[in-house]
Amino acid sequence: MELRPPDFTDEIADSACACAGCAAARTAARAERGGGAGALRGVRCAVVATVGAVALAGTGAGTAAAQPAPSHAGWDGSRYWFKNEAGQWRWTSHHSTYAQRTGGTAQKAQQPQKSHKAQQPRRPAGEPVFPGRQGWDPAYRVYWFKNGGHWYWTSHQEKYERRTGAKGGGSAGSSPGSAPQGSARGWTAPVSSYHFTGYYGQRGSWSKGYHTGQDFAVPTGTTVRAIGPGRVVHAGYNRSYGYEVVIRHADGRYSQYAHLSRIDVSAGRSVSGGQRIALSGATGRVTGPHLHFEVRTTPYFGSDVNPLTYLRAHGVRV
């Protein structure tokens, strides 16, 4: 007589697996060995001896004939469900078996995570890298100050204020030059987190014999903003200036933003103060990444005025 495997079988517990399914199966097996189910155990052993262990568990999965049909495949809180080649529901507690039967697309069930308070962002490991200016460094969350010709850093706002006489304010994320400072009329600095390098009027080997703008040293990719409302009159490449944007403002002055790595506006477009117009870079004639910023009486080279004086006249603190 041909012996058929039972309609429902538990999966055989893996002694090396610590998952909840295998632990429950091992517990059930111990209870069966210690109870009065000797006759049932004898029949089960006979079936196993006749058709082999594969008929019961095969790859560690059980049949679902004695279980309510799941609404969908996947994890139900205690086991993984899937359909075999014949379209029958099967289950397993092993994620590896489930992933194998579903073509490796299954995601491991997520365990409940312990709740915890939001953590403050940590500064990168290692010694902070000097950003080139005094004040709060948001990247490393420290204050920088100069003492005896050397630069030092501290995590303590009180120590920074005592050494410099300046107000800290690092907890609020502010520092000298750390963010665009605007007035009530919507004017702002062109970049944030900067320090000055080349100054307006500085003598040197420039085309006009002096520096016609103000350089804001910032990394490539820094957001560049329109200093005030106006209309874009040029957005493109301009020889030594590299990629640039020129904006005409309502008072007849023009602001220029040069050496850009990307331009986000086009000629003829109206912009508002503080609106992003480009990203800083190092295109054109440069020795390093920075924003060259000019203010002019015309859109052309040679009609420059002091850009910092112009910004301060519109209430911008630079």
Side-chain angles (χ1 to χ4, degrees):
M1 181 180 67
E2 180 182 1
L3 294 177
R4 297 179 178 274
D7 292 333
F8 174 77
T9 59
D10 294 326
E11 62 178 38
I12 298 176
D14 184 354
S15 61
C17 183
C19 72
C22 285
R26 288 195 296 270
T27 302
R30 287 195 297 269
E32 182 180 335
R33 289 193 297 271
L40 176 62
R41 185 170 63 252
V43 172
R44 188 170 183 174
C45 290
V47 173
V48 173
T50 304
V51 301
V54 177
L56 283 177
T59 58
T63 65
Q67 297 288 330
S71 59
H72 59 81
W75 180 256
D76 69 353
S78 61
R79 63 191 66 186
Y80 296 95
W81 289 93
F82 61 93
K83 281 188 176 182
N84 63 9
E85 294 81 356
Q88 299 170 323
W89 282 108
R90 295 291 185 267
W91 62 265
T92 177
S93 297
H94 299 288
H95 174 263
S96 58
T97 300
Y98 176 54
Q100 181 181 7
R101 290 298 184 90
T102 55
T105 60
Q107 294 185 354
K108 195 169 185 179
Q110 296 183 353
Q111 300 296 328
Q113 297 181 353
K114 296 181 180 180
S115 61
H116 57 83
K117 296 182 179 179
Q119 297 181 351
Q120 293 293 331
R122 297 180 179 180
R123 66 179 177 87
E127 186 75 9
V129 178
F130 179 52
R133 58 177 176 79
Q134 177 178 294
W136 177 250
D137 182 354
Y140 288 90
R141 302 184 64 79
V142 297
Y143 294 94
W144 289 93
F145 62 93
K146 198 172 186 179
N147 185 16
H150 299 283
W151 286 99
Y152 298 90
W153 62 267
T154 177
S155 299
H156 302 286
Q157 179 178 343
E158 180 182 358
K159 181 177 180 181
Y160 169 74
E161 294 178 348
R162 185 172 66 251
R163 291 294 182 89
T164 63
K167 191 67 176 176
S171 58
S174 61
S175 64
S178 66
Q181 303 293 329
S183 70
R185 292 172 288 176
W187 291 76
T188 185
V191 290
S192 60
S193 298
Y194 58 83
H195 65 275
F196 295 140
T197 51
Y199 288 86
Y200 176 76
Q202 183 178 350
R203 294 291 174 180
S205 58
W206 289 282
S207 297
K208 204 176 180 182
Y210 66 87
H211 197 228
T212 55
Q214 175 64 54
D215 286 347
F216 294 80
V218 289
T220 295
T222 299
T223 295
V224 178
R225 305 182 187 277
I227 61 170
R231 184 179 296 275
V232 178
V233 298
H234 184 252
Y237 200 83
N238 184 11
R239 296 178 297 180
S240 297
Y241 286 117
Y243 287 103
E244 68 167 10
V245 172
V246 179
I247 298 174
R248 185 185 190 279
H249 302 284
D251 60 1
R253 293 291 190 264
Y254 296 79
S255 58
Q256 181 209 33
Y257 315 78
H259 306 314
L260 306 172
S261 62
R262 191 180 80 184
I263 296 176
D264 295 326
V265 293
S266 56
R269 179 176 173 180
S270 295
V271 295
S272 58
Q275 178 180 335
R276 190 181 83 174
I277 58 173
L279 297 180
S280 66
T283 59
R285 184 183 176 186
V286 296
T287 57
H290 69 281
L291 173 70
H292 176 85
F293 173 71
E294 287 190 17
V295 175
R296 304 167 174 171
T297 58
T298 74
Y300 309 109
F301 171 77
S303 59
D304 49 277
V305 297
N306 191 316
L308 295 186
T309 301
Y310 182 77
L311 288 173
R312 289 162 183 160
H314 284 83
V316 180
R317 297 190 299 273
V318 288

